[in-house]
């Protein structure tokens, strides 16, 4: 099968390497239970000779696929026919060069870039993946979709399901979902089920529910979703005049984004569209730092595909035994059993990557700084800037290296976190409202 078609699915476990047609729907390899990749026979696809050729599509933006910031790059995710492609205009995002924040961080003013994914239709980067997953869902004629979510996946799924007429069911954990996100999935008409547990519990339940009821799962276990997220990297390269930055920095939750970025760069290098791969930094919240502990403390690595599974299995058994629950203000990355762990390890190998964790206070300080100089973001996104501070301080990132931080979600997703930081926390960048009597002289006195 693998040489006849443009695209197929392949198990990432080297010892298995089973292949499946793209018309088959699995969330995990039926033979061994490992993750699946979408693979391409590049010689069957008319890939542009150079990346800048994609810029021609800006001139034909009345074509919905050329308008989409994902499908504009469609040759690089060529797994389904155009007629199945679902788009709500995702990926109209921008790479903001942020001189003010760069200077505040002690960098060369021209070297810091913020890839603002909050501009997506549902307000987070998830739309890049969802447009691809729902296109695949249309291709296989799925009738219903579901996901477990810390909020943004559900908002995005609900939006796409609604736009192509699929049923949508969201599984959320107790308490932790930010209101901006919850309000979206309700407004977009998703069936919302709140499970007495956390995200990791929901993730486990939804997989069984989807298998049992034959429902299309759109979590990042879904390999087609990750194909769409590759285009975030293409838009960064596009924003830099078709040049590759030195560093990509991304928050790590379920590790779908970091995984897809590594895959994007490996493929671009393989087909000769870039000659150099950037380095990757994945930033965890301290209260949900599985990746950091496994990689930095326990030495877990991809190792050319020979992952020492026992290290991770022991770690997760320990979490289970102690009843560990992740806890961070950055609810989008409050995940302690990341489903894409192995693919992320591979991305770290491809990109000579690093991993670290940051505290909630550091995240919120960085968030206020992004807000002061840039477009604002939700807490998880600001983990990138908080992590960058460490990487600059220890010399891993040079002050004049070109750094692109992926701001994954919109500021307004989680207004509670913002208001609380400014009005209650009295931190360095807190900017609380000032109370005054309803009296002109006193108001004027305050303005001086
Ligand atoms: C989903 C999400 C993340 C985590 O991304 P993963 O791909 O799961 O690592 C980070 N930030 C925001 C805003 C998100 O919605
Ligand atoms: Zn397998």
């Amino acid at each position: 099968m693998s040489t006849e078609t443009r695209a197929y699915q392949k198990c990432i476990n080297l010892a298995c390497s089973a292949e499946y047609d793209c018309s088959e729907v699995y969330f995990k390899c039926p033979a061994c239970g490992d993750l699946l990749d979408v693979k391409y026979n590049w010689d069957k696809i008319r890939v542009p000779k150079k990346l800048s050729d994609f810029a021609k599509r800006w001139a034909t933006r009345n074509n919905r696929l050329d308008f989409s910031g994902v499908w504009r790059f469609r040759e690089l995710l060529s797994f389904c026919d155009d007629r199945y492609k679902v788009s709500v205009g995702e990926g109209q995002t921008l790479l903001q060069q942020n001189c003010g924040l760069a200077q505040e961080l002690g960098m060369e003013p021209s070297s810091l870039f913020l890839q603002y994914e909050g501009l997506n239709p549902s307000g987070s980067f998830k739309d890049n993946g969802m447009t691809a997953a729902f296109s695949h869902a249309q291709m296989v004629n799925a009738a219903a979709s579901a996901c477990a979510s810390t909020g943004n996946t559900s908002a995005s799924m609900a939006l796409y399901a609604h736009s192509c007429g699929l049923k949508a069911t969201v599984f959320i954990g107790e308490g932790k979902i930010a209101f901006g996100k919850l309000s979206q999935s309700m407004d977009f008409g998703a069936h919302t089920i709140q499970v007495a547990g956390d995200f990791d519990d929901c993730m486990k339940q939804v997989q069984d529910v989807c298998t049992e009821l034959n429902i299309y799962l759109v979590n990042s276990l879904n390999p087609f979703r990750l194909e769409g997220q590759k285009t975030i990297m293409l838009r960064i390269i596009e924003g830099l005049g078709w040049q590759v930055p030195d560093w990509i920095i991304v928050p790590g939750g379920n590790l779908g984004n970091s995984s897809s970025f590594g895959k994007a760069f490996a493929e671009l290098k393989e087909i000769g569209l870039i000659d150099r791969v950037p380095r990757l930094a994945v930033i965890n919240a301290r209260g949900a730092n599985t990746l950091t502990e496994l990689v930095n403390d326990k030495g877990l690595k991809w190792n050319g595909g020979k992952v020492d599974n026992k290290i991770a299995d022991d770690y997760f058994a320990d979490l289970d035994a102690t009843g560990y629950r992740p806890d961070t203000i950055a609810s989008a990355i409050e995940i302690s059993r990341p489903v894409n762990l192995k693919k992320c390890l591979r991305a770290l190998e491809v990109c000579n990557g690093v991993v670290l964790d940051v505290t909630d206070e550091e995240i919120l300080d960085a968030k206020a700084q992004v807000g002061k100089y840039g477009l604002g973001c939700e807490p998880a996104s600001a983990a990138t800037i908080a992590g960058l501070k460490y990487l600059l301080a220890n010399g891993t990132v040079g002050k004049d290296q070109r750094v692109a931080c992926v701001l994954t979600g919109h500021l307004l997703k989680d207004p509670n976190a913002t208001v609380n930081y400014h009005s209650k926390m009295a931190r360095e960048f807190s900017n609380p409202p000032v109370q005054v009597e309803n009296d002109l002289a006193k108001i004027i006195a305050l303005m001086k």
Side-chain angles (χ1 to χ4, degrees), residues 11 13 16-18 20 29 31-34:
C11 175
N13 173 3
C16 171
S17 293
Y20 308 96
C29 175
C32 78
D34 218 323

Side-chain angles (χ1 to χ4, degrees), residues 125-126 152 251-257 332-333 378 380-381 408-409:
F125 80 84
K126 298 293 197 301
N152 282 332
N254 232 349
L255 306 178
N257 242 356
I333 51 175
E378 66 167 280
S381 314
T408 45

Side-chain angles (χ1 to χ4, degrees), residues 93-94 114-128 150 152-153 156 181 184 225 229 232-233 235-236 248-258 261 281-283 330-333 363 367 370 376-385 404-413:
T93 62
L94 59 85
L114 305 179
Q115 174 65 19
Y116 189 50
E117 290 297 315
L119 288 175
N120 273 294
S122 82
S124 85
F125 80 84
K126 298 293 197 301
D127 295 349
N128 294 284
T150 62
N152 282 332
T153 302
S156 183
K181 308 176 185 183
Q184 288 177 291
R225 206 187 106 180
Q229 291 171 212
I232 302 170
M233 296 300 102
R235 295 199 301 275
I236 287 178
I248 299 289
I249 307 187
V250 63
N254 232 349
L255 306 178
N257 242 356
S258 44
F261 298 172
V282 184
I283 316 297
S331 55
I333 51 175
I363 287 174
K367 187 179 103 57
V370 170
C377 63
E378 66 167 280
S381 314
T384 56
I385 298 295
C405 292
V406 182
L407 299 185
T408 45
H410 200 284
L411 171 69
L412 296 177
K413 288 284 192 172

Side-chain angles (χ1 to χ4, degrees), residues 135-336:
S135 298
H136 183 250
Q138 294 281 84
M139 171 179 155
V140 300
N141 216 358
S145 59
C147 70
S149 181
T150 62
N152 282 332
T153 302
S154 56
S156 183
M157 176 186 79
L159 174 61
Y160 279 87
H162 163 114
S163 86
C164 62
L166 261 74
K167 277 201 197 144
T169 306
V170 173
F171 290 76
I172 57 172
E174 253 174 339
K176 288 299 184 62
I177 188 164
F179 269 18
K181 308 176 185 183
L182 181 59
S183 56
Q184 288 177 291
S185 54
M186 296 192 299
D187 226 20
F188 298 143
H191 182 198
T192 305
I193 297 181
Q194 193 153 25
V195 176
D198 65 7
F199 174 82
D200 296 318
D201 297 318
C202 292
M203 190 67 236
K204 199 162 170 297
Q205 296 290 3
V206 75
Q207 290 182 58
D208 294 343
V209 170
C210 285
T211 308
E212 188 103 343
L213 301 178
N214 197 18
I215 292 174
Y216 192 87
L217 178 72
V218 298
N219 278 101
S220 53
L221 270 178
N222 181 319
F224 297 94
R225 206 187 106 180
L226 297 191
E227 291 307 290
Q229 291 171 212
K230 295 190 302 193
T231 62
I232 302 170
M233 296 300 102
L234 292 158
R235 295 199 301 275
I236 287 178
I237 292 174
E238 181 181 52
L240 293 174
W242 306 103
Q243 286 170 16
V244 176
D246 297 305
W247 281 93
I248 299 289
I249 307 187
V250 63
N254 232 349
L255 306 178
N257 242 356
S258 44
S259 297
S260 82
F261 298 172
K263 185 170 187 284
F265 290 119
E267 290 173 353
L268 290 172
K269 185 95 197 302
E270 182 195 338
I271 55 183
L273 287 176
I274 57 173
D275 48 23
R276 177 176 68 81
V277 165
R279 296 191 68 187
L280 178 70
V282 184
I283 316 297
N284 276 157
R286 180 79 39 93
N289 61 355
T290 294
L291 182 72
T292 306
E293 294 201 329
L294 284 174
V295 171
N296 294 357
D297 305 342
K298 315 231 176 261
L300 186 66
K301 34 182 190 301
W302 175 247
N303 199 19
K306 298 190 203 72
V307 180
D308 186 346
N309 289 317
K310 189 167 182 307
I311 297 178
D313 292 347
D314 287 352
Y315 183 88
F316 293 126
D318 219 44
L319 293 187
D320 289 341
T322 57
Y324 176 83
R325 295 286 168 197
D327 182 24
T328 167
I329 185 79
S331 55
I333 51 175
E334 189 179 55
I335 296 172
S336 61

